[in-house]
Amino acid sequence: SEEQCSLLARLGVTIQRGGVIKLLGSFLGLDDAARTSACTALVNKRLQAFRIALFHHSVSAQLFFVVLRLCVVTAFNFLARVLPPAVFAPAAEAIDKFTVDVISARLAIPELTRYDCARKLLFLPLNRAGAGITSLWTTSPVAFLSSVLEFVGCNPTRLAVDVLRRSAVMGQARAAF
């Protein structure tokens, strides 16, 4: 109402319409394009800091991969959980591209992206002879869905187990006929 707006104006509080507010590490607003832009800008700023840290002269190749796997990718996991995939997708693509580019530069393998098998090895788990790097572009929809299910009170792990049990029971029932 006008009364509330004038009170807020006297207190020095401005009302922002049609924009984005950064609150608790996420971006709130109704304009998805503005949220995408703000998220991408934040991610690019943080990636520049990671690039400086990863290429510091004291960082060995082993430490490089550990920091890349455990810090760089997980630093953006929160955004993948709180932003819808459509909003987070450009930032996730930038993170995945950054990951491949810094590995290519560190290992002195030009155009690593041209070699599809090498790219696949980067994203394979460690126990399958991969580098253990997680692709945020592929995992962000699942991360967001998981957080939404958790918010509404549905335990995603229990839901997955129930679905697997039901499909196993259905498979046994079909086999019986």
Side-chain angles (χ1 to χ4, degrees), residues 59-66 106-107:
V59 176
S60 66
Q62 292 83 4
L63 182 59
F64 171 85
F65 274 101
V66 170
R106 182 65 188 226
L107 298 179

Side-chain angles (χ1 to χ4, degrees), residues 37-100:
S37 175
C39 177
T40 304
L42 174 72
V43 165
N44 288 334
K45 182 180 175 184
R46 288 186 181 169
L47 288 177
Q48 287 175 354
F50 276 122
R51 181 180 299 275
I52 292 168
L54 287 170
F55 285 103
H56 190 268
H57 68 282
S58 65
V59 176
S60 66
Q62 292 83 4
L63 182 59
F64 171 85
F65 274 101
V66 170
V67 169
L68 190 63
R69 193 176 76 244
L70 299 178
C71 298
V72 174
V73 175
T74 57
F76 303 106
N77 191 23
F78 175 75
L79 288 174
R81 292 179 181 279
V82 297
L83 293 174
V87 172
F88 185 65
E93 285 182 76
I95 295 162
D96 286 355
K97 182 180 180 329
F98 168 84
T99 303
V100 172

Side-chain angles (χ1 to χ4, degrees), residues 19 27 73 75 80 92 95 106 116 119 128 149 169:
F27 300 98
V73 175
I95 295 162
R106 182 65 188 226
D116 196 40
R119 184 180 167 86
R128 293 197 179 175
L149 289 174
V169 168

